[in-house]
Amino acid sequence: VARNVTVARNVTYDVNVTVDRDFTVEQLVTVESTVLCAPGTFAAGGQCIDCAPGSFAAAEGSAACSPCAAGSFQPSASASECFACPAGSYCEAGAAVALLCAAGTWNGMANATSPADCAACPAGAACSAGATAPAACDAGSVSSPSASICTGCSAGEYQQASGESACEACPSGSYCLERSATPLQCPPGSFAAG
């Protein structure tokens, strides 16, 4: 006699009973049972165990959970799948969380697998932690490669263009305040040495 019996939450037993013809039903000869666990769990010691964060079990009746592949992650227990690692981060094998690319680096693609997939921010741009693209420095500010912020030009310097790596000296006959995008002409009767 074969029966499918649900005993507890997420646990289903397939029970096969063999009865010898010379015995009554009460004298069972063999009882075999196996635990069939729901996706996101696995069978151990006759019970269903939740998969830990960073792992999953896609099918019913899994004997073990599998770690999330590099480039994916799973923050929750009892998962039946892993999520693609988003742009601006990377996920090593078995990741429970996506790790942000460090400040001064960026990554515009999903499924990155290591910090090496995060590229250095180019000169003239800034990349905060988790950046998905470099952000060009505004006029009046500049940056060197791998910068996390743009730095304003000092007084006496200016930068007219955005996305630049160096400020220029203010020309004679003009003055430049901090973060100047354009030199200002000295008023009549005054001068500035260059």
Side-chain angles (χ1 to χ4, degrees):
V1 177
R3 297 278 161 106
N4 190 321
V5 181
T6 300
V7 176
R9 178 183 75 86
N10 292 335
V11 179
T12 302
Y13 289 97
D14 278 336
V15 179
N16 293 314
V17 179
T18 304
V19 179
D20 190 313
R21 285 185 175 215
D22 297 333
F23 293 89
T24 64
V25 175
E26 290 81 24
Q27 298 170 318
L28 299 177
V29 174
T30 308
V31 175
E32 297 174 3
S33 65
T34 53
V35 178
L36 292 178
C37 298
T41 63
F42 69 98
Q47 54 184 312
C48 294
I49 308 295
D50 292 340
C51 292
S55 66
F56 72 103
E60 180 178 72
S62 294
C65 297
S66 300
C68 292
S72 66
F73 74 107
Q74 178 49 257
S76 302
S78 305
S80 59
E81 64 182 348
C82 296
F83 303 115
C85 203
S89 63
Y90 63 93
C91 301
E92 295 174 339
V97 296
L99 300 174
L100 296 178
C101 288
T105 66
W106 69 284
N107 173 14
M109 305 275 294
N111 302 322
T113 62
S114 76
D117 293 329
C118 302
C121 204
C127 300
S128 59
T132 58
C137 295
D138 293 332
S141 64
V142 295
S143 74
S144 57
S146 300
S148 60
I149 60 170
C150 295
T151 304
C153 293
S154 300
E157 297 180 325
Y158 75 103
Q159 179 48 258
Q160 288 181 318
S162 61
E164 293 296 322
S165 61
C167 297
E168 298 178 32
C170 211
S172 294
S174 62
Y175 65 99
C176 298
L177 302 173
E178 278 188 19
R179 297 183 90 72
S180 286
T182 55
L184 301 171
Q185 272 314 115
C186 291
S190 63
F191 72 95

